[in-house]
Amino acid sequence: MSLITQVKRIPKFYRGNAACPGCPIPRELDILIEELGEKTVLVVPASCSTVILGDTSGMPATVPVVHSAFAASAAIASGIVRALRMRGDKDAIVTVWAGDGATGDIGFATLSGAAERNEDILYICYDNEAYMNTGIQRSGLTPKGAWTTTTPEGKREVKKPLPFIIAEHKVPYVATASIAYIYDYEAKMRKAKQIRGFRYIHLLSPCPPGWRFDSSLTIEIAKLAVETGVWPLFEIENGEFRLTSVSKTLLDKKNRKAVAEYLKLQGRFNKLTEEQIKEIEESIDEMWEQIKEMIKK
Amino acid sequence: MQVLKRKVLALVGNHAVAYAVKQAKPKVLAVFPITPQTTMLEKLAEYISSGELKAELVRIESEHSALASIYGAALAGARVFTATSSQGLLYMTEMIYWAGGQRVPIVAAVATRAIAEPWSIWDDHQDFVSKRDAIWIQIMAENVQEAYDMTIQAFRISEDERVILPVMMGFDGFILTHTMERVEVLEDYEVDSFLPPRQFNLIDFSDPVGVGPIAQPDEYMKIKFEAMKAMERAKGVIEEIMREYEKISGRKQYGLVECYKCEDAKYAFVTMGAWSGDAKVAVDRLRDQGIEAGLLKIRVFRPFPKEKVEEYLRSMKGVIVFDRAVSFGSGGILANEVKSSLYGLEVPVYNVVAGLGGKDVRPLHFQKVMEDLVEGKLEEERWLL
Ligand SMILES: Cc1ncc(C[n+]2csc(CCOP(=O)(O)OP(=O)(O)O)c2C)c(N)n1
Ligand code: SF4
């Protein structure tokens, strides 16, 4: 049998991978495996992660990795988990690890289908807010105002509110996370591991070349996204909405840092006018008003 | 050889294939409706709901995902099946190439149907042959019995360790899917012995591998070369498996091609699929008229049996290839295959394009073009409009 596209993990001493300096993805994946354990299958659609996870000469992962066509990952995962369960494997965690483009655009129907069927998979969208692997083009999850190579004047439309859209499918678990709040991310992973059915975690994943910031600032920016209220940390468990970690303290606007602090560190926002910045700030306030409503319910 | 009295059922093509699939015991199936394949997957859903078939049915949201889901399931060790047609097959195309490129054992039935635009729900082969370069074994049935037999054989071929390739089983939309015929079926235990449980599985937590990563150019080309060799090997394996099936079923099976009165023929038709039956009727009538006609039916379209085609047709005075699919700007697709198989030989090959979008073709049509050939009146390419 000559299935030479199967590759083994590369030897332990070779710790490298093909991520850019300052890219959070390798660390995010390390944490994922630490929390979910070695009985995890990663399904990875075309993206930066495809490259990071190696070529036919070896892979820097300790669990099975199934590379996927761009639009297909939630469906491939559905098939894998059903076959594993038919084989009597009750506890393997089949996990999709997908970018925002695969999740919110081309794979959206596939994702929505899997959520609607409540497939027993964990879907993690690492959101770097553009198609990064193909060179920073806008996606449906690029925020309004952001520069990309296909929106040189700044994106005109708003970011798709994906965690809320998925929650509307009435799946058992939806959460957001940030690499700057590792304990929160880990706790959510642990929780997702215990739950059966469709679980969705949306992880904000700052990208130095795509967002135009110095590669030493990744964690700083991931942190500011939360502290300014741009990226609220929450979970929706069986329909119940709950803020987590520091986001619990941010309902009161005066606890939130100024949104401009987050924006000004990133070259992708440096053409914004004062007025546009104000508009973005207002939209964040608006989102927090909605969050208040959700908590009241 | 003592052959048992066979169980005979009256089945439409879709139900005959579903029956064969049930006996093959796949573990994961995906369904998405498209005419004229729909009633096959409905039947399979019934088998699963009644417990006759113990399998997972993924009621998926599109064809792209249908193939993706069984691709995933196949990687994880399950025997898998799906079916589609026309636009559905086109929508699946990206995953068709993934399954072929990764060389996963999958069986998919294609109820052949014309491709829009304009909309047409009727039969031709344009959908099926459009997948000829996707590293799939492609087999075409002539009648409902053959569709049943081929489905069972397809799982064996696909999973044979000398092959390990997906198999696409084509059968003419409506003409076979919806026509009821007498079908001799095997007993379940016979299928069990012919088709042992599958061994293939790429998800192993004690020894994890990566499936389908990026390949550098040297590796990429090597992988494609291996696939080409597997395709070539498949020819022998298919013949061997069909011979074995012949022993079990007690019925003559044909290998890569079927020769109908072509051994002593001076003129031959070449066909694929359901209208081969009409062509056989035409051959008999032409023989009555004193014309030494024969028919070479292509059963296996990929790998293309060019050696057999050459062997049977090398001394013909004229060959007429009937095509239900066209490469626009080049010609009939089957005709092009036959011409290239006969490269360097002095065999005149004529091409008749007919039956597109379900346009009726009868034995009389076959007869007429053969008469024209014999009288020296047939042009190189003729469309039966
Ligand atoms: C059908 C299809 N269209 C386009 C591509 C090209 N492509 C590969 S990766 C990619 C962008 C991925 O973006 P995203 O999902 O956000 O992940 P990221 O690269 O940012 O990690 C695109 C467009 C493809 N592989 N398949
Ligand atoms: S482009 Fe961005 S997301 Fe992609 S590897 Fe580089 S830093 Fe990571």
Side-chain angles (χ1 to χ4, degrees), chain B residues 32-287:
Chain B
F32 196 78
I34 184 167
T35 305
Q37 149 276 124
T38 328
T39 56
M40 181 202 303
L41 294 176
E42 287 168 358
K43 188 46 116 189
L44 285 162
E46 255 174 66
Y47 286 143
I48 291 173
S49 112
S50 69
E52 274 179 88
L53 172 60
K54 289 186 183 33
E56 281 282 313
L57 185 65
V58 196
R59 293 148 173 108
I60 205 97
E61 78 292 337
S62 77
E63 287 91 352
H64 191 279
S65 289
L67 200 61
S69 66
I70 61 166
Y71 171 84
L75 294 179
R79 181 172 289 157
V80 299
F81 178 80
T82 194
T84 191
S85 183
S86 184
Q87 312 301 127
L89 188 64
L90 298 195
Y91 201 55
M92 240 179 219
T93 300
E94 185 187 26
M95 291 314 301
I96 293 271
Y97 275 80
W98 270 68
Q102 179 57 34
R103 294 183 51 199
V104 213
I106 284 176
V107 174
V110 174
T112 61
R113 169 182 155 183
I115 290 171
E117 180 58 22
W119 281 115
S120 165
I121 58 165
W122 295 286
D123 177 42
D124 70 26
H125 296 164
Q126 201 73 38
D127 52 358
F128 185 75
V129 298
S130 76
K131 299 297 160 279
R132 66 194 159 164
D133 305 326
I135 323 183
W136 280 60
I137 289 175
Q138 292 181 285
I139 321 180
M140 247 341 255
E142 176 188 330
N143 49 42
V144 175
Q145 180 71 58
E146 213 173 326
Y148 168 85
D149 293 333
M150 271 185 182
T151 305
I152 291 171
Q153 292 161 12
F155 286 99
R156 250 303 279 282
I157 296 164
S158 162
E159 293 171 25
D160 188 294
E161 63 172 26
R162 294 161 292 177
V163 178
I164 309 274
L165 284 168
V167 178
M168 194 180 292
M169 203 281 291
F171 67 135
D172 290 71
F174 288 112
I175 299 172
L176 298 185
T177 57
H178 286 62
T179 302
M180 191 169 285
E181 285 180 21
R182 174 191 187 279
V183 184
E184 290 186 11
V185 298
L186 300 186
E187 299 298 328
D188 290 351
Y189 72 85
E190 293 173 308
V191 178
D192 288 346
S193 73
F194 179 74
L195 199 58
R198 108 162 1 182
Q199 302 298 326
F200 183 91
N201 172 30
L202 296 183
I203 306 288
D204 180 354
F205 296 103
S206 60
D207 185 19
V209 297
V211 179
I214 296 171
Q216 304 297 331
D218 283 351
E219 279 297 301
Y220 185 89
M221 188 137 171
K222 222 162 74 191
I223 289 164
K224 295 298 170 191
F225 184 63
E226 287 298 326
M228 201 273 294
K229 287 199 294 192
M231 272 288 187
E232 281 303 317
R233 273 198 306 275
K235 291 182 185 172
V237 176
I238 292 169
E239 288 188 313
E240 185 187 308
I241 288 172
M242 289 199 187
R243 275 196 297 275
E244 197 182 316
Y245 189 88
E246 198 168 297
K247 281 204 199 103
I248 297 173
S249 68
R251 261 180 294 107
K252 177 112 186 91
Q253 296 292 309
Y254 302 91
L256 306 169
V257 299
E258 179 191 346
C259 161
Y260 183 74
K261 301 190 178 170
C262 67
E263 288 97 344
D264 65 337
K266 295 215 167 67
Y267 302 96
F269 296 115
V270 179
T271 56
M272 184 166 79
W275 61 6
S276 307
D278 301 273
K280 285 175 189 169
V281 173
V283 165
D284 291 344
R285 290 185 194 163
L286 287 159
R287 291 239 168 196

Side-chain angles (χ1 to χ4, degrees), chain A residues 18-25 48 52 126 128 132-133 205-210:
Chain A
C20 307
C23 179
I25 293 173
C48 283
I52 293 169
Y126 67 93
N128 53 25
M132 294 310 179
N133 183 47
S205 215
C207 163

